[in-house]
Amino acid sequence: MNNEPLLKITNLKKYFPVKRGLLSRVVGHVKAVDDVSFQIAPGETLGLVGESGCGKTTVGRTLLQLIRPTAGSVQFNGQEIADVGSSDLRKLRLDMQIVFQDPFGSLNPRMTIKSIIEEGLIVHGRANKAERLEKVEEALLEVGLAPQDYLTRYPHEFSGGQRQRICIARALTLRPKFMVLDEPISALDVSYQSQVINLLAELREKYDLTYLFISHDLSVVQYISDRVAVMYLGEIVELADSTELYARPLHPYTQALLSSVPTMVPNKNKERIVLEGDVPSPLNPPSGCSFHPRCPRAMDICKRQAPELLDLDGHNVTCHAVKQDLTQQ
């Protein structure tokens, strides 16, 4: 794997203003993404996990500049893209694509499958009419769909799994380098989920694609990801190699998430960690460590001071309790 990152995110923030009153005064900000930093190497799959509302989707859309960041740096292939103009951003779209969570809502119901898949080619002027048809047919074959049966039909005629394959085919036609996969299987039946995951893994190997795989399903993330980042309330609290993180989770939140993953073979020695309370509002996050109101290992310092990033040979974690454990060893 190339040591130079394809994507480098530094201190990324995305705050959404909350407005009230007749004059729409700004009375606060929802801190959807709060000071997030990570890198993704070419050909790598980084899994991004966490509870609903923690900011995963906002991170993915901000990386592609579908929504502009409030602050921070987003570098793609060495180029800063957080503040580029619309014309330069349009060129970058050739190398960056997204597969949305909802295959029912992300396809235009009034367009044929052929029109949907070739739309990107038309927008970017990448091929003439004959070449576009060839590329559309090729993309459908890549995702396991027969072109002769699909080109002239409409999205409502297909199952959820077939629609998601069409969404993947649409993203593939421009031959991107990087793809954001935003909960690509959560809206699908279980019977289709493994098919789509295996397809994504095969396409990554074939075209040397780089993925940001966003999901709340820890089992799927473990299967497809090289590294995993765990988000809580807009922040990344732990990031490590997939094998390392699942074998040795350090942050109490990661430990709680992994304790809830069902296994094929029951383990009587596995302790189920139940977190108390709900995720705090990103409109008014807690002081200090954002996880301390629910953390079973919370200390006084957790309420007052945000934990610093600990880099333990590539295993990154932000936690006062972990730091205390290390000092006592």
Side-chain angles (χ1 to χ4, degrees):
M1 230 177 246
N2 190 340
N3 291 327
E4 288 297 320
L6 179 67
L7 204 71
K8 183 177 180 180
I9 315 305
T10 308
N11 304 124
L12 183 68
K13 297 181 180 181
K14 181 59 186 178
Y15 296 170
F16 293 99
V18 177
K19 300 179 181 180
R20 289 178 184 161
L22 292 174
L23 300 177
S24 296
R25 291 187 304 109
V26 176
V27 296
H29 288 86
V30 174
K31 298 181 178 180
V33 179
D34 197 12
D35 205 20
V36 164
S37 300
F38 59 87
Q39 299 180 7
I40 308 179
E44 180 184 28
T45 296
L46 176 67
L48 189 60
V49 302
E51 293 172 280
S52 296
C54 71
K56 306 185 300 295
T57 293
T58 303
V59 167
R61 297 192 179 197
T62 305
L63 299 190
L64 300 185
Q65 304 303 299
L66 297 177
I67 52 178
R68 294 290 191 165
T70 302
S73 170
V74 180
Q75 293 184 11
F76 179 76
N77 218 11
Q79 177 185 357
E80 178 61 53
I81 66 172
D83 54 2
V84 297
S86 56
S87 59
D88 291 331
L89 188 58
R90 182 171 177 172
K91 296 175 183 176
L92 288 167
R93 298 276 187 234
L94 291 167
D95 291 326
M96 301 187 298
Q97 293 292 308
I98 184 170
V99 175
F100 294 99
Q101 175 179 358
D102 181 13
F104 301 91
S106 59
L107 298 176
N108 190 329
R110 300 187 179 187
M111 296 174 66
T112 64
I113 302 308
K114 175 180 177 296
S115 299
I116 288 171
I117 297 177
E118 73 175 355
E119 187 174 20
L121 296 170
I122 295 173
V123 168
H124 292 282
R126 302 299 290 179
N128 59 39
K129 187 174 181 179
E131 291 171 338
R132 289 200 302 269
L133 177 59
E134 182 180 340
K135 289 180 180 294
V136 169
E137 291 178 341
E138 181 183 351
L140 284 171
L141 286 172
E142 289 284 4
V143 298
L145 301 177
Q148 63 272 18
D149 298 331
Y150 287 76
L151 290 177
T152 59
R153 296 166 67 184
Y154 291 85
H156 72 270
E157 300 179 61
F158 302 103
S159 67
Q162 290 171 324
R163 292 190 205 191
Q164 198 62 293
R165 287 173 181 263
I166 291 167
C167 293
I168 296 169
R170 175 176 58 184
L172 277 178
T173 53
L174 294 173
R175 291 290 180 262
K177 296 178 181 177
F178 172 64
M179 290 174 63
V180 172
L181 306 171
D182 185 9
E183 303 256 17
I185 64 169
S186 63
L188 306 181
D189 293 338
V190 175
S191 58
Y192 287 114
Q193 289 183 358
S194 61
Q195 297 176 19
V196 172
I197 287 298
N198 289 331
L199 171 63
L200 290 169
E202 292 169 6
L203 292 172
R204 185 186 80 160
E205 293 298 322
K206 184 173 183 178
Y207 294 110
D208 195 27
L209 292 168
T210 303
Y211 291 155
L212 175 67
F213 189 91
I214 299 170
S215 180
H216 63 270
D217 190 325
L218 292 161
S219 300
V220 172
V221 169
Q222 181 181 20
Y223 172 75
I224 199 171
S225 301
D226 299 303
R227 289 187 303 141
V228 178
V230 181
M231 280 195 77
Y232 183 80
L233 207 62
E235 303 172 357
I236 290 181
V237 297
E238 188 164 5
L239 192 158
D241 177 84
S242 178
T243 304
E244 164 74 7
L245 185 131
Y246 280 81
R248 192 172 67 99
L250 297 178
H251 198 282
Y253 178 60
T254 309
Q255 293 171 352
L257 288 180
L258 292 180
S259 75
S260 66
V261 177
T263 57
M264 296 294 291
V265 180
N267 185 353
K268 295 181 180 179
N269 297 322
K270 183 178 179 180
E271 180 185 359
R272 175 76 165 88
I273 303 173
V274 180
L275 297 177
E276 297 182 358
D278 299 319
V279 180
S281 169
L283 180 62
N284 185 27
S287 60
C289 173
S290 60
F291 185 59
H292 85 258
R294 305 176 70 196
C295 182
R297 300 193 62 190
M299 303 176 288
D300 287 338
I301 190 175
C302 302
K303 303 175 183 178
R304 296 181 280 103
Q305 181 179 327
E308 62 184 24
L309 176 68
L310 303 175
D311 186 351
L312 310 176
D313 295 325
H315 191 151
N316 298 336
V317 62
T318 56
C319 180
H320 290 298
V322 173
K323 184 177 181 180
Q324 183 184 68
D325 293 342
L326 293 173
T327 57
Q328 292 176 352
Q329 288 180 358

